[in-house]
Amino acid sequence: MRNYFEFYTIPESFLPDEKAIKQQYYQLSRQYHPDFFANEPQEKQAEILQLSTLNTNAYRTLSDADLRMQYILKEHGLLEEGGKNELPSDFLMEVMELNEALMELEFDFDAAILKQVSEQTIGMQAQLEADILPVLQRYPELHGITKDQALQQVKTYYLKKKYLLRIQETLSKFATQS
């Protein structure tokens, strides 16, 4: 499988030029449209179909911030199934406390506790975003840290964000019940 950034001839970035992605997608969509190759040999048609599919998958991935982050981390071997996805214990304790509060709300609903858990989750998410933004903005041209260290920081952010999204999903279920 070809690297999406190379296929689009843009540098690997967590915050790429969105316009460049869209331009490349449209240009390659025209270039590799299967209808233009209908009279070509079967081999050529199969190759064009493959390139057209690659273009669609690249666009879908690179134009979505979460999918793009996941893709970059996987490309660097940092998000493997069953791989080491360890998070700091203080974060895990905080998340465990939030989950326990949510479980208690299942049995004994209290709007004040729901609001508190919601605000705490939003605060954690905002802090997470603020902490990672400078790394995302400067990647891969970093000062003071290596590319590998930056990727590890992004991986930790990505995994923490997934935890917080699960909590937010549970919170939104409470919101629809009240």
Side-chain angles (χ1 to χ4, degrees):
M1 186 173 103
R2 287 175 64 183
N3 179 291
Y4 294 159
F5 289 100
E6 289 171 10
F7 184 64
Y8 274 17
T9 62
I10 59 172
E12 181 179 275
S13 172
F14 289 104
L15 303 171
D17 180 348
E18 302 278 339
K19 243 167 120 174
I21 291 171
K22 196 173 275 193
Q23 285 174 331
Q24 279 297 88
Y25 171 70
Y26 288 125
Q27 179 190 336
L28 294 172
S29 291
R30 288 187 294 275
Q31 186 177 336
Y32 297 128
H33 198 287
D35 290 350
F36 298 141
F37 297 87
N39 296 326
E40 295 290 327
Q42 202 64 37
E43 269 179 26
K44 184 68 174 174
Q45 287 183 33
E47 177 191 338
I48 293 301
L49 187 59
Q50 237 178 351
L51 289 167
S52 177
T53 302
L54 176 64
N55 185 38
T56 301
N57 292 339
Y59 180 72
R60 231 181 249 138
T61 301
L62 297 182
S63 62
D64 178 285
D66 288 332
L67 290 176
R68 182 173 54 241
M69 184 174 288
Q70 182 182 39
Y71 175 77
I72 292 171
L73 291 171
K74 281 184 176 177
E75 281 292 296
H76 290 279
L78 293 171
L79 279 186
E80 298 167 33
E81 292 302 313
K84 285 187 178 178
N85 292 330
E86 296 167 8
L87 287 170
S89 57
D90 58 335
F91 174 79
L92 293 174
M93 287 299 292
E94 226 177 322
V95 167
M96 192 172 79
E97 288 169 13
L98 291 172
N99 279 319
E100 285 174 1
L102 289 172
M103 284 195 303
E104 287 175 26
L105 287 172
E106 296 267 342
F107 299 106
D108 185 18
F109 183 79
D110 182 334
I113 292 176
L114 177 64
K115 185 175 189 254
Q116 179 187 348
V117 170
S118 181
E119 286 173 357
Q120 188 176 350
T121 304
I122 290 167
M124 288 172 71
Q125 182 73 31
Q127 187 61 54
L128 208 54
E129 300 286 338
D131 290 346
I132 201 64
L133 188 60
V135 176
L136 298 179
Q137 289 172 330
R138 292 193 311 263
Y139 181 88
E141 305 301 320
L142 302 151
H143 304 288
I145 62 171
T146 66
K147 185 175 177 179
D148 287 342
Q149 289 170 322
L151 287 167
Q152 282 299 330
Q153 288 179 15
V154 173
K155 176 184 175 182
T156 299
Y157 160 81
Y158 177 81
L159 295 171
K160 284 181 176 182
K161 184 178 174 184
K162 282 178 72 171
Y163 270 91
L164 293 176
L165 285 174
R166 279 188 226 123
I167 291 172
Q168 287 174 336
E169 286 171 10
T170 305
L171 285 168
S172 65
K173 289 176 191 166
F174 279 112
T176 58
Q177 290 172 2
S178 50

